[in-house]
């Protein structure tokens, strides 16, 4: 059992607070002889890094990851994993603690301030402390390693809804995702979102979003029924991301409105193996991967850090008003895209190892 | 790590196939001195039992649970838990295996037939074997015990959507839930659903649904960030139920369309403690219970067992057609209501024990 | 986390009390397609069965194991594992509860009576309840399955010391082990032990013992440093057996008196691979199997169930005297031999699967 | 499951290699509001630090521990735990890698060189890499925190045997333990050991030892049968320490020679509660603490790093000779004393939290 670890065989343990000296992650269970460098992990961290556009928080952190253990030069002189735990660390550099002083004793509505104090009797209030989304940087770094565990697997994410504005799925183009500050796969939505978010940003407001993550080339057979189902672990993974309030696989909540005839993905033998007529299942049948793309979506709530004052209480039980003046993301869904990708990669790497150990 | 266990400190391990001699569950970690009888567990099993109305499968199983270990008479002569593992068993009595013979080698679309064979190379095809929802009977039994672990807690579930027909939330009345065969909390929807489902049932079709589960009187402080968050474990619990394709907490996917102002649940000091102006959070902040009702919803897909033939393949790789002639539920969401309740109770009992062990 | 489960990937969960209706075990994580029948498991149970000679308890239990789930006929008509949990059950038939009535409220010295009451506030006192060595029958059954997981592996145990009488290791002959009621590998010790134990038995006394378990043909590379070392898990496994007070690997406590020169097992390339000059390491280097035989020994204390009255207290805090009149083993070390074998097999099967999942 | 984590609720995860940039540990599950500073942990590290006398390795490491997360100032201005993971780190400063160059491809007998290469296909050979006892520094640091979790508990260790020379238990005086370089509780053995070890040290040889660890003021009721028994977890903990080959509780292997009459610890009601006439059980009955001192001993083999050349093979399968010229401990048992204390504290803190969560 663990509170700060995720995964079964491929397992991460993260530590650190938003404004402490550093944050970090220990990756345990990674097979040996996987080539890896800090630079490779940095690519994914840079996608998540704040301050990349006017649409994310202006906090400036280089978020430079270092590898402190678990890798060594092989006989060819390449850095590879050794099978021992891989310690990743990012030093915190931009800790403007003064921004957070006035929320020391006030509970921000929608944040974890109240529940942390009720549970622990103490909290590091600076920047949200442990409950800050800063922790997700370590997931992204570890996810970069997880991607390399399953041969051929590709994990990609995109934002598919911001507030009331959904993408047009007919326009879906993975190539567009990195061409805009929203990870939008539909280039026609970009201006709509930009205008919409500018308005919210200037008024100090915020908005929710939906993110979709797709894993291609996932081997058949990953997932361990009944209680380590692949989709169950994906649900757990995505719901563990800060601000996520819902997770769905394949047709998801839409399947409530489908008949059995509509929902069944028919099978046929094709030239290169089994083919499915559709993917309402999202690549998972009975908790086990089917070889189709694994498709998950999750809903991200709007951050509760807004300029408009909200009613709350303080630690002494007095009624107060709270508004948040710090630097924040008007749509935290944007930076949740690389985090969602990372969580998908972590779950699949883990199940890949489990399946390999268990198979008959 | 385990494939057939759920929970951290309060932990269930289930076993058994749909058409084997029995199914069972071992409950480990239950505190001692909790009064419990098989009759008390039977109440919850009877809610899930098939054949209760024309709207559920006509398979007739008494589903009578026995307790084989872990309870003993205390000094007052009452049966109580002893702190040792509690073994629950239900014998399978109505095993009309002949209904399933022709799917021995055919993969039913939407079912786990294909993936089980790909993963394990063998499967007990009778009635779905291990992938049958019959396993959920043991969750319901164990959930009956979990309900007694958290003092004062009440867990209730209801169906809130069948196909395109949603309840009117203004009509919500918990007292109605057991007055109709759908666990509907809105008495006005009952006839609508009955007519709708009769049509589907007669044509051998099926339909999806959405179930909502609410836990009242949950203590503040349950949940263990970062990776044993209360909502994360609820997501895992619900997604592990057969046919579930989506899970949401509080405002859920709806929060994608809310602004920060709309979404924030404001706090005030009331006469009997902290009061919240709303519950978009669904009772969970930062992964920790806030003392508000914990609210989860999950989407259940239509069963793929339908009369209309669908295209598929068989084990030898030949294209075939499959239709399901056995006795099945036209809307598996109905019987998922007591299962959802049980999973909620299991998660909360587990986190209650964890919190008690861990608190500073 | 779990209190009644053992193992990581190959995992058993046992349940049941000495005098309840049954005892049982769920084996989770067993690979599919392993041929197994109840009869095969029965062979090992019969070795542990009470009443086999005058030197073990005269309680008569057929200890007949049934398999309730997780096996199915394959295409050749053989029963094989399916990858789903295997539920094993033994019904309790000889429950002479009257023997135990007078220890209902008295704490037997050296038994778990006092600590169970202090921990749980209640206990099933009949025959020791959950703390009875009867639970080990399920380990033996599960161990029979574990033996088949690692191809070619052979696990054998023997008693090497009873009270002050040690075997002569020069006489070691595995073929003798099943020719005497003590599992002695030295036929010359048999009469010595028989005479010695007859004396103790007639006076209602008891004596300790040392058991040795050896696993041959263990693949190189099993064991996961730092905290799932093979020897660490063997130590945990053996110490979990009732009445065990010490565990050692290879040279064990004797290594405290060795110099580095004496202790080092030298390596040479032989005709069929690496050869070691000795096996002080007991087959484990740095927590990983070396390909040498894995050798463990454990000390079993004398049972505290003796005829001579001992001072104790009762549940109300009164000073009392306790003597045990029930049927008991004068040397519980004898029946610990098949249990030790089973635990060794369970650890090795588990690490075999882990290694297979993890390797680079 | 995890390879580099230890504990259930109070859980450590260690990382790092002997000659990498740093080693570290994440402590998860520590309750909040426990006062802790790096200086307090340093006290225990200094006991284990190399180079304290001529009898331990002359490698000079300040072994200065830093706390990177999980602590915060409380309202009184004291640093306390916050309930979030505590990251501990020690930078490696004295990395004379040149000492280890010639063992890059040679397998040292008795070391993990051969098995690591067989398992992982690669290893960080510098100073033993991950298999170096350097990792135990992090156990000692974490153990310093664990000591504070159980109110009133005192954990102390001592060396009781070096080679053939055992202490006289009648001379036992805890006050002597820190007055000599051997952690000997018997001042009369000190000169004997000093002379004996000087001889071995000068000849480049090494010797084994036995260490005893005692925990006083352990609450009754810790330990979770059947498979998280207190003594089982102690056995696992001690066997996980580098070079340990045997573990025993209470009378341990000596109990093999005791009769039931001799072995039973009788109970009487004393003025301040239950009193035991003896402690053959070592404070554990049925896997649960009895309130008596918890007593464990473990055997440490002689280090295989010796000057005398030994036969071995190299990575290419050639026969070679190996001698170790680096700085090493002639009796690694000495520095194992604080490590054994730490492991005992970790197990007891863990079970204290488990018991608190679980009790009925």
């Amino acid at each position: 059992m663990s509170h700060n670890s995720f995964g079964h065989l491929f397992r991460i343990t993260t530590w650190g607070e938003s404004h402490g000296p550093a944050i970090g992650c220990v990756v345990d269970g990674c097979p040996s002889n996987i080539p890896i460098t800090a630079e490779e992990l940095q690519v994914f961290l840079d996608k998540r890094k704040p301050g990349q556009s006017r649409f994310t928080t202006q906090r400036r952190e280089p978020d430079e990851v270092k590898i402190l253990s678990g890798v060594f030069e092989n006989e060819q002189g390449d850095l590879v994993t050794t099978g021992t735990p891989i310690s990743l660390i990012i030093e915190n550099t931009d800790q403007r603690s003064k921004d957070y002083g006035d929320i020391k004793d006030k509970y921000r509505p929608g944040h974890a301030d109240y529940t942390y104090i009720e549970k622990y009797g103490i909290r590091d209030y600076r920047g949200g402390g442990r409950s800050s989304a800063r922790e997700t940087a370590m997931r992204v770094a570890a996810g970069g390693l997880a991607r390399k565990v399953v041969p051929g697997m590709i994990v990609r994410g995109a934002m598919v809804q911001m507030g009331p504005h959904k993408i047009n799925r007919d326009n879906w183009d993975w190539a567009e995702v990195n061409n805009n500050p929203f990870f939008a796969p539909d280039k026609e939505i970009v201006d709509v979102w930009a205008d919409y978010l500018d308005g919210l940003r200037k008024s100090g407001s915020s908005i929710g979003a939906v993110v979709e993550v797709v894993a291609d080339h996932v081997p058949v057979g990953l997932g361990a029924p009944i209680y380590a189902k692949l989709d169950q672990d994906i649900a757990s993974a995505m719901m563990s991301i800060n601000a996520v309030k819902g997770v769905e696989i394949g047709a998801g909540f839409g399947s409530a409105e489908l008949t059995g005839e509509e929902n069944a993905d028919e099978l046929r033998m094709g030239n290169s193996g089994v083919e499915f007529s559709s993917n309402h299942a999202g690549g998972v049948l009975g908790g086990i991967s089917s070889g189709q793309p694994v498709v998950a979506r999750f809903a991200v709530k709007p951050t509760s850090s807004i300029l408009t004052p909200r009613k709350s209480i303080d630690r002494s039980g007095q009624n107060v008003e709270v508004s948040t003046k710090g630097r924040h993301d008007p749509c935290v869904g944007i930076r949740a895209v690389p985090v969602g990708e990372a969580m998908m990669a972590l779950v699949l790497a883990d199940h890949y190892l489990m399946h390999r150990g268990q198979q008959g």
Side-chain angles (χ1 to χ4, degrees), chain A residues 303-337:
Chain A
T303 181
S304 306
S305 299
I306 49 177
L307 261 181
T308 311
R310 311 307 296 168
K311 293 177 189 168
S312 190
I313 59 172
D314 66 14
R315 204 169 159 180
S316 65
Q318 299 302 305
N319 287 334
V320 295
E321 299 225 320
V322 184
S323 71
T324 311
K325 299 188 190 69
R327 301 152 297 168
H328 289 284
D329 290 288
C331 178
V332 289
I334 300 173
R335 291 172 60 208
V337 172

Side-chain angles (χ1 to χ4, degrees), chain A residues 22-306:
Chain A
I23 57 175
C25 178
V26 184
V27 182
D28 196 7
C30 185
S32 57
N33 290 308
I34 295 180
I36 195 72
T37 62
E39 289 69 32
E40 287 177 272
L41 304 181
Q42 196 64 43
V43 171
F44 299 105
L45 281 164
D46 288 347
K47 283 183 68 177
R48 182 202 159 278
K49 197 165 63 175
Q52 297 293 82
S53 77
R54 70 181 185 273
F55 301 111
T56 57
T57 173
Q58 296 308 300
R59 173 171 169 152
R60 298 216 173 269
E61 297 270 15
D63 274 4
E64 191 184 334
V65 68
K66 287 181 203 157
I67 303 178
L68 295 184
S69 69
V71 297
F72 200 64
E73 280 190 9
N74 66 8
E75 305 210 331
Q76 290 73 45
D78 296 321
L79 278 179
V80 299
T81 57
T82 61
T84 66
I86 298 157
S87 175
L88 305 174
I89 194 168
I90 295 176
E91 287 174 39
N92 289 329
T93 54
D94 184 16
Q95 306 161 21
R96 288 167 52 183
S97 295
K98 63 181 181 306
D99 282 2
Y100 297 99
D102 79 334
I103 54 148
K104 180 183 166 194
D105 293 315
K106 290 179 181 174
Y107 300 145
R108 293 167 298 166
H111 277 293
D113 304 345
Y114 170 65
T115 52
Y116 265 69
I117 282 289
E118 286 292 311
K119 184 176 186 74
Y120 296 114
I122 186 169
R123 71 186 174 100
D124 180 345
Y125 51 80
R126 300 169 304 165
R130 182 66 179 154
S131 69
S132 164
R134 181 140 186 74
E135 185 267 350
T136 61
M138 299 321 305
R139 309 184 187 208
V140 171
L145 186 52
R147 287 167 188 267
K148 306 191 79 170
V149 169
V150 188
M153 179 179 75
I154 295 173
V155 178
R156 290 178 291 196
M159 205 161 85
V160 297
Q161 181 181 349
M162 178 194 290
H165 304 290
K166 299 183 185 182
I167 63 156
N168 180 346
R169 299 186 76 89
D170 294 337
N171 295 343
W172 193 295
D173 182 356
W174 282 114
E176 289 298 326
V177 162
N178 291 316
N179 290 340
N180 64 77
F182 306 112
F183 302 113
D186 168 11
K187 69 180 173 187
E188 294 181 12
I189 200 84
V190 175
D191 287 345
V192 177
W193 285 356
D195 289 348
Y196 179 70
L197 200 55
D198 271 332
L200 290 162
R201 184 172 57 84
K202 287 169 186 166
S203 66
S205 184
S206 65
I207 191 68
V210 176
V211 171
E212 181 165 325
V213 180
V214 180
D216 287 300
H217 306 305
V218 175
V220 189
L222 309 195
I226 302 289
Y227 295 111
K229 285 178 173 165
L230 184 58
D231 41 356
Q232 174 184 5
D233 280 0
I234 292 171
S236 172
M238 299 310 178
M239 197 66 98
S240 79
I241 302 172
N242 309 49
V244 170
K245 300 302 289 182
V247 188
E248 57 182 18
I249 306 291
F253 275 87
S255 62
E257 305 198 14
L258 298 177
T259 64
E261 289 78 6
E262 292 163 338
N263 184 63
D265 306 316
E266 296 183 306
L267 293 82
R268 287 281 106 163
M269 285 308 293
N271 291 332
S272 57
V274 175
E275 290 173 1
F276 291 84
S277 64
S278 52
N279 191 12
H280 294 95
V284 187
L285 287 169
I288 302 170
S289 64
S290 66
Q292 287 201 280
V294 176
V295 181
R297 271 178 304 283
F298 57 88
V300 184
K301 71 175 182 183
T303 181
S304 306
S305 299
I306 49 177

